[in-house]
């Protein structure tokens, strides 16, 4: 599929039917996400690093806050939990594997669990690698997945608590979602990730075109999020480890183990 047919207009808000996702910049490069269903009135925020910008966005949108969803326990994803819970009475939701490390958690969800968030189906996908308890939240009705620090636009998370094998399995799970699924990740790392992607996959024509778009967006101080599963499969080197051209650039044999290739790629990115 040509790159042009996969490009889309980027802004701080995305709408799908009755649902809206608003990007809320936090700290230096984090994003929290406000998800709102205009029909049911449901509002949640995903990974609030800090309370103030989320509070300001909710006030601007004239919305309540029903739930706080955390993909993992790192402070730059849960730092606003306590303050927002106290102010709005929101329930905090996170992965069962991380329930002892997420402040104020009320609802702990397990891998494969399907949770009814006031009429919005949420599928929980355990995605260890960056941390041992990390999860992603997939909302099939709106075609949206919140990936935290597992899958980034043109990258993946550092392996702080997990292994390359775990990250490979986690990325494989996410890559099986429909190509049109919108991906909302934890940080605005795309431009930096693009430089590394071009270093290891320079002949990828889709990537070359995407880098131009990314540079234009960041030059205009616009977000590069959301991306999509299909776009990542075409341009993200961590989802292209089976590609012969990429393996050749990494001086890896075509039959090399996938986990070894991903581990090498992650190590190279750590030192890039």
């Amino acid at each position: 599929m040509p790159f042009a047919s996969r490009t889309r207009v980027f802004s701080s808000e995305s709408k799908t039917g009755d649902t809206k996702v608003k990007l809320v910049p936090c700290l230096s490069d984090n994003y929290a996400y406000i998800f709102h269903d205009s029909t049911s009135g449901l509002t949640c925020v995903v990974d609030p690093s800090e309370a103030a910008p989320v509070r300001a966005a909710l006030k601007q949108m004239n919305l309540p806050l029903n739930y706080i969803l955390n993909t993992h326990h790192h402070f730059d994803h849960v730092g606003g939990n306590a303050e927002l819970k106290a102010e709005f009475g929101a329930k905090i939701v996170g992965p069962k594997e991380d329930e002892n490390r997420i402040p104020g958690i009320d609802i702990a969800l397990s891998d494969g669990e399907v949770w009814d968030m006031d009429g919005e189906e949420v599928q929980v996908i355990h995605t260890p690698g960056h941390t041992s308890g990390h999860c992603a939240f997939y909302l099939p009705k709106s075609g949206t997945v919140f990936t935290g620090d597992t899958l980034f636009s043109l990258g993946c998370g550092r392996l702080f608590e997990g292994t390359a094998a775990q990250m490979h399995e986690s990325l494989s799970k996410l890559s099986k979602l429909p190509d049109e699924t919108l991906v909302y990740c934890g940080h605005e790392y795309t431009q930096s990730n693009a430089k590394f992607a071009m270093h290891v996959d320079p002949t990828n024509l889709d990537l070359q075109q995407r880098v131009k778009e990314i540079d234009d967006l960041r030059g205009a101080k616009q977000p590069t999020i959301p991306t999509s599963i299909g776009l990542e499969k075409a341009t993200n080197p961590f989802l292209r480890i089976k590609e012969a051209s990429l393996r050749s650039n990494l001086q890896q044999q075509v039959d090399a183990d996938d986990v070894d290739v991903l581990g090498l790629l992650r190590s190279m990115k750590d030192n890039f």
Side-chain angles (χ1 to χ4, degrees), residues 220-255:
K221 300 186 184 306
Q222 294 297 309
T224 62
I225 310 301
T227 177
S228 71
I229 292 295
L231 189 52
E232 292 309 304
K233 285 162 67 174
T235 57
N236 187 330
F238 292 93
L239 297 186
R240 287 172 48 81
I241 58 173
K242 291 183 180 294
E243 293 294 323
S245 59
L246 179 62
R247 289 185 173 222
S248 177
N249 292 334
L250 298 176
Q251 298 183 333
Q252 295 291 296
Q253 298 296 321
V254 174
D255 60 352

Side-chain angles (χ1 to χ4, degrees), residues 7-267:
T7 59
R8 56 188 306 280
V9 176
F10 290 78
S11 71
S12 62
E13 290 187 0
S14 300
K15 293 190 69 176
T16 305
D18 295 329
T19 62
K20 176 193 300 184
V21 178
K22 181 175 180 61
L23 284 68
V24 183
C26 295
L27 303 177
S28 62
D29 54 32
N30 280 76
Y31 286 132
Y33 299 103
I34 294 173
F35 176 91
H36 175 66
D37 187 312
S38 61
T39 300
S40 68
L42 166 72
T43 306
C44 73
V45 63
V46 181
D47 286 349
S49 306
E50 49 184 341
V54 174
R55 181 189 303 111
L58 290 168
K59 182 177 180 180
Q60 181 187 47
M61 299 168 75
N62 194 29
L63 294 177
L65 183 62
N66 306 110
Y67 296 98
I68 299 167
L69 276 58
N70 295 137
T71 59
H72 63 296
H73 74 279
H74 283 166
F75 185 76
D76 63 329
H77 292 256
V78 303
N81 276 19
E83 199 172 331
L84 292 171
K85 180 177 181 177
E87 182 170 349
F88 292 94
K91 292 184 178 179
I92 297 175
V93 183
K96 178 74 173 175
E97 293 83 359
D98 238 4
E99 65 177 326
N100 294 325
R101 301 194 291 182
I102 292 179
I105 191 168
D106 298 294
I107 302 171
L109 301 174
S110 300
D111 180 38
E113 189 167 346
V114 178
W115 175 54
D116 182 354
M117 183 172 64
D118 294 355
E120 186 74 33
E121 179 183 317
V122 179
Q123 297 180 17
V124 182
I125 306 171
H126 185 213
T127 53
H130 181 66
T131 67
S132 60
H134 201 295
C135 80
F137 298 106
Y138 173 51
L139 285 60
K141 177 182 173 183
S142 62
T144 298
V145 64
F146 297 98
T147 60
D149 287 0
T150 296
L151 174 63
F152 288 125
S153 174
L154 290 178
C156 76
R158 287 179 178 265
L159 304 178
F160 286 128
E161 296 179 0
T163 65
Q166 287 177 315
M167 180 60 78
H168 176 257
E169 182 179 2
S170 296
L171 294 175
S172 295
K173 289 179 184 179
L174 294 172
S175 70
K176 290 181 173 65
L177 296 175
D179 281 358
E180 63 270 19
T181 303
L182 296 179
V183 176
Y184 293 89
C185 56
H187 295 264
E188 182 59 74
Y189 287 164
T190 311
Q191 196 166 40
S192 173
N193 287 343
K195 293 176 182 177
F196 176 73
M198 282 297 296
H199 176 69
V200 297
D201 200 12
T203 59
N204 183 335
L205 297 180
D206 280 347
L207 176 60
Q208 293 173 16
Q209 180 60 35
R210 189 177 177 196
V211 168
K212 294 177 183 177
E213 180 183 83
I214 290 164
D215 288 343
D216 288 344
L217 286 168
R218 297 310 292 158
K221 300 186 184 306
Q222 294 297 309
T224 62
I225 310 301
T227 177
S228 71
I229 292 295
L231 189 52
E232 292 309 304
K233 285 162 67 174
T235 57
N236 187 330
F238 292 93
L239 297 186
R240 287 172 48 81
I241 58 173
K242 291 183 180 294
E243 293 294 323
S245 59
L246 179 62
R247 289 185 173 222
S248 177
N249 292 334
L250 298 176
Q251 298 183 333
Q252 295 291 296
Q253 298 296 321
V254 174
D255 60 352
D257 184 79
D258 289 350
V259 172
D260 290 341
V261 176
L262 188 142
L264 172 64
L265 203 57
R266 184 62 257 181
S267 178

